[in-house]
Amino acid sequence: MVQGADAGTTKRRGKAKAPPANAEGLTQEQMLQAYRDMLLIRRFEEKAGQLYGMGLIGGFCHLYIGQEAVVVGMQLCLQPGDQVITSYRDHGHMLATGMEARGVMAELTGRSGGYSKGKGGSMHMFSREKGFYGGHGIVGAQVSIGAGLAFANMYREDGTVCLTYYGDGAANQGQVFESYNLAALFKLPVIFVIENNKYGMGTSADRASASKDRSKDGSPWGIPGEQVDGMDVAAVKAAGERAVAHCRAGRGPYILEMQTYRYRGHSMSDPAKYRTREEVQKMREQHDCIETARKILLEAGLPEAELKTVDDDVKAIVADSAEFAQTSPEPDESELWTDILLEAR
Ligand SMILES: Cc1ncc(C[n+]2csc(CCOP(=O)(O)OP(=O)(O)O)c2C)c(N)n1
Ligand SMILES: [Mg+2]
């Protein structure tokens, strides 16, 4: 949500102490903003899960719970005009770019107030205004589209970059490697952000890929990369800044392998037989990005009451979005015949 933030500023709230080492590169304002944005995604997703359980959301719905630090940390590195494109696990990305919770939730419930007038659903929302280019259900398909967006950026010479997100499973797809080749060849301003949450649908990355360090996947084409603690919003932002600077300087693509984790099932139905409860519990208890940010803020001297205000604000936004998503009317029948075909001449 915070775009073009100044990493160099040292202004802090109240009588805060210097931020601890693991908050390196983030001012207290930025950390608080990151906390708020991560919490908004978490609460939004929890509510979406509830509405799904009540039968108010149909079709596929992939929740982003656990991975919030990735998209929020990366968004802190962007400027207006930059683009974001991702897979079907996309609600967090939309909210991070500043899209309205109301419009996203109403799209999930298939209502006319949704971003695609209720006709797209969870995986198909876009906002050119916020630089969000979807929402793609075909695993890996968005990677070549992201390279294409970056090609347009290069062509326009406007200094913008495209963040292209995909999963550890998608990272094995052939078109991803074709995209690496062309991105390196044309020095495209694209950051390939691999969200390695350790699993495809139900197959562990270890069993699906011979590549154990995905940040090196671009090495045949000379694309630099880094492995990043994707559960730590400050680490994400620091790596994101390096990648963005590389791209804006015209030096071509960059790969960031975010080591992250999803707490919920792959989609809304998931037999959960491919990992233990203990594994999930351990990540939640020891590496949760929101809890970490909360601790950092409290240790830096932020009054608990201020965090409570943020929690309440977030809760209100999510409650309002759920209300809107249930009261917004269903699309009119005539909508069956609109937005389905673009006549090319
Ligand atoms: C081309 C294609 N093959 C298979 C599928 C079915 N599918 C949907 S999600 C998924 C797993 C992808 O895992 P990953 O890229 O790690 O992303 P994650 O779900 O973990 O975010 C698969 C195989 C699909 N949608 N598209
Ligand atoms: Mg995955």
Side-chain angles (χ1 to χ4, degrees), residues 44-45 47-53 57-64 88-91 105 108 121-123 264-269:
F44 180 95
E45 293 289 66
K47 182 59 81 181
Q50 280 171 15
L51 297 186
Y52 198 98
I57 296 173
F60 287 108
C61 183
H62 308 84
L63 303 180
Y64 194 61
Y88 42 81
R89 199 176 299 288
D90 53 2
H91 315 152
M105 198 69 96
L108 298 184
S122 167
M123 303 190 279
R264 295 288 185 94
H266 165 73
S267 184
M268 298 311 290
S269 62

Side-chain angles (χ1 to χ4, degrees), residues 7 23 29 35 106 121 136 155 164 178 202 205-206 209 225 233 317 330:
E29 269 86 5
Y35 171 79
H136 296 268
Y155 205 71
T164 300
E178 294 178 42
D206 285 341
S209 179
V233 73
I317 293 169
E330 294 197 346

Side-chain angles (χ1 to χ4, degrees), residues 62 67 87-89 137-139 166-171 173 195 197 199-201 262 266:
H62 308 84
Q67 301 181 211
S87 70
Y88 42 81
R89 199 176 299 288
I138 304 298
V139 168
Y166 48 104
D168 46 279
Q173 292 285 75
E195 298 202 55
N197 60 10
Y199 298 95
M201 290 171 73
R262 72 167 152 73
H266 165 73

Side-chain angles (χ1 to χ4, degrees), residues 246-263:
H246 179 92
C247 281
R248 292 209 207 282
R251 296 170 64 199
Y254 205 96
I255 294 178
L256 293 175
E257 180 197 342
M258 298 292 176
Q259 298 185 322
T260 182
Y261 201 76
R262 72 167 152 73
Y263 299 168

Side-chain angles (χ1 to χ4, degrees), residues 22-306:
N22 58 350
E24 189 198 354
L26 254 67
T27 64
Q28 195 174 69
E29 269 86 5
Q30 288 174 329
M31 187 53 99
L32 187 59
Q33 186 66 45
Y35 171 79
R36 184 238 173 236
D37 292 350
M38 293 191 294
L39 194 68
L40 176 63
I41 296 172
R42 172 103 22 124
R43 297 285 174 263
F44 180 95
E45 293 289 66
E46 287 167 353
K47 182 59 81 181
Q50 280 171 15
L51 297 186
Y52 198 98
M54 291 159 68
L56 293 166
I57 296 173
F60 287 108
C61 183
H62 308 84
L63 303 180
Y64 194 61
I65 295 177
Q67 301 181 211
E68 298 91 343
V70 175
V71 82
V72 168
M74 288 305 296
Q75 198 68 26
L76 283 167
C77 307
L78 297 190
Q79 289 173 3
D82 292 335
Q83 303 115 337
V84 170
I85 187 166
T86 190
S87 70
Y88 42 81
R89 199 176 299 288
D90 53 2
H91 315 152
H93 302 67
M94 295 172 202
L95 296 175
T97 59
M99 288 169 68
E100 296 288 334
R102 274 183 163 211
V104 181
M105 198 69 96
E107 190 56 43
L108 298 184
T109 54
R111 304 303 177 100
S112 57
Y115 269 99
S116 299
K117 301 187 207 164
K119 299 190 287 182
S122 167
M123 303 190 279
H124 305 113
M125 283 178 249
F126 309 85
S127 168
R128 193 187 253 176
E129 185 203 344
K130 300 292 180 191
F132 183 73
Y133 287 80
H136 296 268
I138 304 298
V139 168
Q142 76 276 16
V143 182
S144 11
I145 303 174
L149 286 165
F151 185 86
N153 296 343
M154 179 196 67
Y155 205 71
R156 287 193 293 254
E157 296 184 342
D158 61 2
T160 51
V161 304
C162 177
L163 298 188
T164 300
Y165 292 90
Y166 48 104
D168 46 279
N172 299 319
Q173 292 285 75
Q175 63 195 307
V176 173
F177 297 95
E178 294 178 42
S179 304
Y180 291 163
N181 177 48
L182 287 182
L185 184 68
F186 297 136
K187 287 197 167 23
L188 302 182
V190 52
I191 302 174
F192 296 108
V193 187
I194 303 172
E195 298 202 55
N196 184 354
N197 60 10
K198 317 283 187 288
Y199 298 95
M201 290 171 73
T203 308
S204 94
D206 285 341
R207 292 178 57 220
S209 179
S211 170
K212 302 303 174 200
D213 179 350
R214 312 309 308 243
S215 71
K216 294 202 173 80
D217 280 6
S219 55
W221 299 277
I223 305 174
E226 293 183 43
Q227 283 187 315
V228 184
D229 179 356
M231 304 299 281
D232 175 352
V233 73
V236 171
K237 199 239 178 202
E241 291 290 1
R242 287 189 287 276
V244 167
H246 179 92
C247 281
R248 292 209 207 282
R251 296 170 64 199
Y254 205 96
I255 294 178
L256 293 175
E257 180 197 342
M258 298 292 176
Q259 298 185 322
T260 182
Y261 201 76
R262 72 167 152 73
Y263 299 168
R264 295 288 185 94
H266 165 73
S267 184
M268 298 311 290
S269 62
D270 181 335
K273 288 195 173 138
Y274 51 88
R275 61 182 181 181
T276 62
R277 269 175 202 221
E278 290 71 34
E279 180 184 302
V280 183
Q281 202 55 29
K282 196 170 158 203
M283 286 303 286
R284 290 191 93 124
E285 284 170 5
Q286 298 177 9
H287 299 283
D288 186 67
C289 57
I290 298 175
E291 273 312 306
T292 306
R294 192 180 164 81
K295 266 190 219 138
I296 287 172
L297 287 163
L298 291 173
E299 275 169 28
L302 192 83
E304 198 148 3
E306 236 182 283

